[in-house]
Amino acid sequence: MDPYSAEGELINIHNHFHQGQYQEVIDFDTSVLSPENALPARILVLRARIALGQAEDVVADVQGESEPELVAVGALAQYSLGKTDAAVKTIEELASSAGDNQTVQVVGGTVLQAAGKSEEALALLSQHSGSLDAVALITQIHLQQNRTDLALKEVTAARRWAQDSILVNLAESWVGLRIGGEKYQQAFYVFEELAQAPSTSSIISLVSQAVCELHLGRVEEAQSALEQAIQKQPEYAEAIANLLVLTVIIGKDPSELTKSLKKAAPQHPFLVDLKEKSELFDKAAGKYSAKVSA
């Protein structure tokens, strides 16, 4: 039996992870799991700890371990600590020696994509055999490549063999937000259900709901959801970034939010993109500087 299926032992801890409920993953009672599921559960717990900023502890936890899964998670922790070259080197070695390992595929693909090696990430992930985690990551990579067509193809294929999976619902919603139109409302229903139910709510689902609200023109509702997320975790960069965008949309000064985002995540993609575009604008404007004639 697939441990991640509706009847499997890991369904709840797996759903907690992908719903962004990282503390629930860490607090999950893994002592009741069968021996064969102990390692996959440990991997989810370690990944949740990395997501909550405990990467240094994770590096110490897996030091000296030889299982490919734990070595891969150690590399992910290293990457989150800024040790990009070492992390990528470890993953590339694992891709050669244990490329058929599901955790190596997903965690390795995450590191490679984050390091800007999209094609290497996709090559590693393409070796998966029925892994929804791999499907979800492939979908995200295609969306980052602006290949909505490939992302849609990936999700459509997965829907045929994993109809009731939360991961498929999430992946469809990510694609829907890129397609637009009536897909905005469909994505909203998925994220709102997750965000508003106490058993599934997280700051990630709140921000996702807010993004849908923004696309649907419901600015006040979006602002409310984002403020709830920031109240729960004041330095959550994605909530700050989206509230910053909302602030610009409604014509208010985003200066304070920009400062908050720089403090929370100095290298956030929004800030990096803004800096690049500002530099390009200044360069272009310099070519048309006013000439004062005598």
Side-chain angles (χ1 to χ4, degrees):
M1 178 189 295
D2 180 359
Y4 301 115
S5 69
E7 296 80 21
E9 284 189 325
L10 299 179
I11 180 64
N12 290 326
I13 189 173
H14 189 248
N15 283 352
H16 284 321
F17 182 83
H18 288 290
Q19 287 159 189
Q21 297 175 294
Y22 299 124
Q23 192 58 52
E24 283 83 347
V25 174
I26 293 171
D27 294 339
F28 193 87
D29 182 9
T30 59
S31 65
V32 299
L33 299 176
S34 56
E36 63 267 23
N37 288 328
L39 181 58
R42 183 183 175 190
I43 297 300
L44 288 171
V45 171
L46 291 170
R47 291 175 67 190
R49 289 170 63 190
I50 294 171
L52 291 178
Q54 301 170 19
E56 289 186 359
D57 294 335
V58 171
V59 170
D61 195 332
V62 301
Q63 189 172 10
E65 298 282 7
S66 59
E67 291 93 335
E69 296 90 343
L70 296 174
V71 176
V73 171
L76 177 61
Q78 282 189 316
Y79 182 86
S80 70
L81 292 171
K83 300 176 182 178
T84 304
D85 292 342
V88 169
K89 181 181 178 182
T90 298
I91 292 301
E92 289 179 338
E93 291 173 351
L94 285 172
S96 297
S97 62
D100 58 346
N101 183 289
Q102 180 176 316
T103 299
V104 169
Q105 293 165 1
V106 174
V107 175
T110 300
V111 172
L112 292 171
Q113 173 63 14
K117 296 178 177 291
S118 299
E119 294 309 318
E120 285 187 39
L122 289 171
L124 179 57
L125 288 161
S126 68
Q127 301 177 56
H128 83 89
S129 178
S131 167
L132 284 175
D133 292 69
V135 168
L137 184 52
I138 291 169
T139 301
Q140 289 185 345
I141 293 173
H142 285 322
L143 289 174
Q144 289 182 41
Q145 294 176 319
N146 290 318
R147 290 301 307 269
T148 306
D149 57 325
L150 295 180
L152 179 60
K153 182 180 179 181
E154 192 73 28
V155 172
T156 301
R159 174 61 76 186
R160 298 191 187 103
W161 53 270
Q163 295 186 1
D164 298 323
S165 168
I166 181 64
L167 261 182
V168 175
N169 290 339
L170 288 172
E172 277 188 336
S173 300
W174 302 332
V175 176
L177 284 172
R178 186 63 62 86
I179 294 173
E182 64 182 15
K183 298 294 184 180
Y184 287 143
Q185 188 67 44
Q186 293 174 16
F188 168 75
Y189 288 140
V190 171
F191 291 124
E192 182 198 34
E193 183 177 359
L194 291 174
Q196 300 307 317
S199 61
T200 58
S201 182
S202 70
I203 53 174
I204 292 177
S205 57
L206 277 170
V207 171
S208 299
Q209 176 190 330
V211 170
C212 295
E213 301 273 23
L214 270 177
H215 281 298
L216 290 165
R218 301 197 287 252
V219 177
E220 291 183 3
E221 292 87 343
Q223 183 172 351
S224 176
L226 290 170
E227 288 174 348
Q228 284 183 57
I230 291 175
Q231 186 175 15
K232 290 185 175 184
Q233 189 173 324
E235 294 191 355
Y236 183 53
E238 297 308 320
I240 298 171
N242 280 283
L243 187 57
L244 192 162
V245 171
L246 184 151
T247 301
V248 172
I249 289 173
I250 62 179
K252 292 187 177 181
D253 183 6
S255 300
E256 288 303 314
L257 286 166
T258 303
K259 290 179 183 178
S260 297
L261 184 57
K262 287 179 178 178
K263 180 181 177 182
Q267 296 302 313
H268 190 278
F270 177 86
L271 295 176
V272 172
D273 187 53
L274 182 63
K275 181 181 178 181
E276 290 176 353
K277 286 182 170 55
S278 295
E279 290 174 349
L280 286 171
F281 177 82
D282 291 341
K283 184 178 180 180
K287 298 178 180 180
Y288 302 96
S289 56
K291 296 181 179 180
V292 179
S293 57

